[in-house]
Amino acid sequence: MEETIRLGLRGLRCAACAHNVEVALGKVEGIREVSVNLASSTASVTYDPSSTTPEIMKQAVKSAGYEAFETGETAGAAGEIPEAGSEADVARKRMVQAWAFAVPTIVIMVFHMTGVWHGTLPETLMMVFALPVLFYAGRSVYVSAWRSAIKGYPNMDVLIALGTLASLVTGVMKLSGARVDSYAAVAAMIMAIHLTGRHIESKARGRASGAVQKLLKLAARTARVVTPEGETEIPAGDLKVGDVFAIRPGEKIPTDGVVESGRTSVDESLATGESIPVEKAEGDEVIGATINQTGTVTVRATKVGSETFLSQVAEAVRQFQEQRVPVQKLADRITAVFVPTVLGIAAAVFLVWLLVPAMPDLPWVDAEASRLTLAIFAAVAVLVISCPCALGLATPTAIMVGGGVGAELGILLRSADAVQVMKDIKVIALDKTGTLTVGKPEVVSISAATGSDEARVLALAASIEYASEHPIGKAILDRARAMGLTITPPENFAALPGMGLTATVAGRRVVLGKIAFLKQEGIEPGDHSRMAEDLETSGQTVAGVAEDGDIVGLIGVADTLKPDTAEAIASLKDMGLEVVMITGDNRVTAEAVGRACGIEVVIPNVLPTEKAHEIRRIRQKYGKVAMVGDGINDAPALAESDVGIAIGTGTDIAIESSDVTLAGGSLHGVVRAVSLSRAIFSKIRQNLFWAFFYNVIAIPVAGIGLLHPIIAEAAMALSSINVVTNSLRLRGLRKKLS
C-alpha cells in the first residue's frame, strides 16, 4: 500500500537544486514518485512504507547537500543550515551585512577609478572590505556551492561562487604585481546584488506561497457554546461534532454546521466568490469562517478540524500548488544540464579570450588591459549572468498564486494539467439539473378555471399531496404552506404511478394528474387541454386539478433556471466557446430550457451512463471538451472530458472525479474558472519565454565581453524577481472576476 508524505526542504537555491533533490530521492528503493516545488521549498513523495521510511528519505536529501524535515519538525540547528528560520528575514539580514561593507568598497573604487586616490592602499582596502561581503554575508552561497559540487550536482551557487572568487583573485594578483586589472570591488558588488535579489525574491515567493496560511487565518478564534447553564466561550478549535453554538450579527461562524434555530443572512463570499448574502433558516447548512450578518442563530456543529470546508479548501489548494504543468517538462530537462553547460561555456570563453589573436576595444575594459584580464572579465560575466532560477520559478509561482486566487473566488483547481488543457477547450458541455437549474422543482404557474381561483386550485392540490415525498408533490406543498393556505388531510387516497392521484378532501372527490388521467377519470378538460400543451412546451410539468368531476385549474411545476444562468452562458460564448446541454429530460423540456438560457445545441434523453459516450461524440465534432456537472450522476462524463468541472453544494467539495470544483452553485463560477485557467497558463508562458529569452541572449552577449559582470549579476537577479512578480500580478484577477 502506497503512502504520500510532504517534506519541507532547506537549502534550495535554484531549479538545479530542486532537480538534485528529485534525483537523490528517486534513487531510494521504495519511492514511487517525487515532485519538488522550488517556489514552496517542498517535496511530495509517494512511497512504499514497507520498503522505505521518512528517515531514509531525509538521509538521501542530506547526502545531496540539502535538508528535509516533516511538517511540524524543527529544521535543524541555525549554525548548521544557513537558511534556518524565516527565509525572508535571513535573506534580509545577509543583504544588509553585504551592503554595509560593499558601500565603502564602491566609494574607494570610484576614487581609485577617477584618479583621486592612487597606489596600492586603495587596492588593498577594496580587498579588505570585499572579504566580509563574500565570506561573512555570502558564506551560505559558498557552503551551498561546495555541498552541491562535491555531491556531483552543481547548482546556481556554484556559478556565483566561481564568479566572485575569480574576481577576488584578480585583486590578489594585482597586489602581487601581475599585469591584470583588479575586480575585487566587483566581486563584493556581485555578491551584494546577488543577496539583494535573493531577499526580494524570497519576499515575493512568500507572498506567492501564502495562500494556504491566508485561508486558515480566516477561521474564527472562539465559539460560544450553548449549554443548559448558558453560553460558554471556548476556543473554536475545541468544538466537537454535535456542539451547539450561538452566532450574533457581525460574527464569524466558528465551524461548519446546520442552523438549529433562527433566521439570518450570511456572507459566503470567501467560500463561493459570490458577494450577495445567502438567507439561512432552520435546517440550512452554514460554512465555518463565513460572516453572519442580520440575525442571531444557533448552529449545531457537523464538521470540525480537518473535516471543515475551510480546511478541505486549504488542503486542495496546497495539493494543487505542488503540481506541475506538462510544459514544465522542457524546463526541467534544460535545468538538469544547465549549470554544467554554463560552466563549460565559461571555460570555453576564458580559453578563447586567452587565445584571441587581436585585442578588441571593449567599452568596459581598460584599453591597456592584459589578455588575462579580458578572459577573466568575460568568463565571470558568463557565470553570473546565467540564471536557472528563472526557469525553475516560471511555472510553480504562477501555479501557487493562481491556486490561491482560485480559492478566494470559490474555484478549487485540482489538476495542473487541466490549467494547460483549458486554453485549448472548444466547447463547454453542461448538465441541466443542478447546473443550469436550481435542482429543485417549484410551482411556476397556476391557472384557475372560471368560478375558481388560484388559492383554491393550490389548496386542493396540496391537500391531496398532503403526505407526498415526490419532488412535484413537495413543490406544491411548499408553495401552499408559503401562502398560508389551509391543507386538509385526504381520505380514500389512491395513486396510479406516472399518471395521477385521487382522494376525498373535505367530503369532495379530488383528482390530480396528467390531462390524460383526468380524461380517464371521466373529467372533460376543455380549453385547459391546449393550455396544458402550451405549458409543457415551455418546459413545465403540468398537473390538472378537478373537484367532483369538474376541472378547477392547472398547476405548472418546473426546475427553474438559476438567476444568472443566461448571463453566464452569454459570457462563455463571448469567450469563443461553443455551449452544449446534455440532459436526461425529454426533447420538449430540454429545448425549452435551452431557449430560455440561450443554448442552441441540446442533447436530450441521455441516461447518466450514456453521458460519457456523448462527451466523446462532442469531442469528435468540436474539439476538446470541458464538462460541467454536479459530480454525482455526472462523474463518468466528468472523468471522460478533457477538463471536468464539478459544481459543489454547501460544504461538500470532495468531488474526486473533477479537475476543477466550484464551491458555489453559480454558473458564473465556470466563467471565472476558464478565465483564471487561461490567465495562469498565460503567465506560465510569459515566464518561460522571458526565462529562455534572457539566457539565450544574455550568455552570448556576456561571452563576447559586452556585458559588465556587475550589470550581468543585476540582470540575473532581476530575471528571477521578474518571474515571481509577473506571477503575482494574477492576484489582480481577484477583483476583476468577483
Side-chain angles (χ1 to χ4, degrees), residues 448-732:
T450 304
S452 184
D453 57 48
E454 292 183 1
R456 177 64 178 165
V457 174
L458 188 59
L460 287 172
S463 295
I464 200 171
E465 295 276 16
Y466 181 79
S468 175
E469 290 296 325
H470 190 279
I472 292 178
K474 286 175 68 70
I476 292 172
L477 280 166
D478 289 345
R479 179 65 176 273
R481 287 167 179 157
M483 293 176 62
L485 302 179
T486 300
I487 301 173
T488 305
E491 299 175 346
N492 305 318
F493 179 87
L496 182 62
M499 292 298 291
L501 313 171
T502 62
T504 301
V505 178
R508 295 175 178 272
R509 185 173 186 271
V510 177
V511 179
L512 173 72
K514 295 180 177 180
I515 295 298
F517 181 65
L518 267 62
K519 290 179 179 179
Q520 184 177 309
E521 292 294 315
I523 300 166
E524 179 53 49
D527 292 340
H528 285 84
S529 181
R530 173 174 290 181
M531 188 182 300
E533 290 178 2
D534 292 341
L535 292 174
E536 287 173 346
T537 301
S538 69
Q540 298 180 33
T541 298
V542 180
V545 184
E547 182 183 35
D548 285 344
D550 296 321
I551 191 166
V552 295
L554 302 175
I555 295 178
V557 176
D559 183 5
T560 57
L561 287 174
K562 294 175 182 177
D564 57 359
T565 292
E567 182 182 353
I569 297 299
S571 296
L572 290 171
K573 289 181 176 180
D574 289 342
M575 297 170 74
L577 296 168
E578 183 71 47
V579 182
V580 176
M581 180 174 71
I582 304 176
T583 178
D585 285 349
N586 61 69
R587 180 170 294 278
V588 172
T589 300
E591 291 181 346
V593 172
R595 285 194 299 272
C597 63
I599 299 177
E600 291 82 17
V601 183
V602 175
I603 305 175
N605 301 309
V606 180
L607 297 174
T609 54
E610 297 172 346
K611 286 185 178 180
H613 175 68
E614 292 298 331
I615 292 295
R616 288 191 287 272
R617 291 180 56 188
I618 292 171
R619 183 186 293 113
Q620 291 175 355
K621 183 175 181 180
Y622 296 100
K624 291 186 176 180
V625 185
M627 171 68 190
V628 184
D630 60 14
I632 303 171
N633 291 333
D634 301 312
L638 290 170
E640 174 61 34
S641 63
D642 297 285
V643 177
I645 303 175
I647 294 184
T649 56
T651 60
D652 180 19
I653 65 165
I655 304 175
E656 299 302 331
S657 57
S658 65
D659 300 304
V660 180
T661 299
L662 307 180
S666 171
L667 206 61
H668 272 298
V670 179
V671 179
R672 296 188 188 109
V674 174
S675 299
L676 177 60
S677 295
R678 287 179 174 180
I680 292 172
F681 191 77
S682 176
K683 288 299 179 189
I684 290 172
R685 190 160 44 195
Q686 291 169 17
N687 289 346
L688 287 173
F689 170 79
W690 286 113
F692 280 117
F693 178 81
Y694 163 83
N695 282 291
V696 168
I697 298 298
I699 292 176
V701 171
I704 61 177
L706 295 179
L707 202 58
H708 195 286
I710 293 175
I711 296 176
E713 174 56 33
M716 188 278 287
L718 286 173
S719 67
S720 295
I721 295 168
N722 176 63
V723 164
V724 180
T725 53
N726 187 47
S727 297
L728 285 169
R729 294 189 184 100
L730 285 168
R731 297 168 73 176

Side-chain angles (χ1 to χ4, degrees), residues 367-449:
E368 297 181 358
S370 68
R371 197 181 300 274
L372 179 60
T373 297
L374 293 171
I376 293 174
F377 178 93
V380 169
V382 169
L383 288 171
V384 300
I385 193 64
S386 306
C387 184
C389 270
L391 286 173
L393 292 169
T395 62
T397 52
I399 290 291
M400 292 178 75
V401 177
V405 171
E408 292 177 353
L409 292 169
I411 302 166
L412 298 183
L413 300 170
R414 294 178 175 274
S415 166
D417 286 10
V419 170
Q420 181 167 336
V421 174
M422 192 74 82
K423 74 181 190 307
D424 299 321
I425 291 297
K426 303 299 182 184
V427 58
I428 300 288
L430 299 164
D431 173 50
K432 181 182 80 68
T433 305
T435 302
L436 296 172
T437 65
V438 297
K440 180 182 178 182
E442 296 178 356
V443 173
V444 294
S445 66
I446 303 174
S447 303

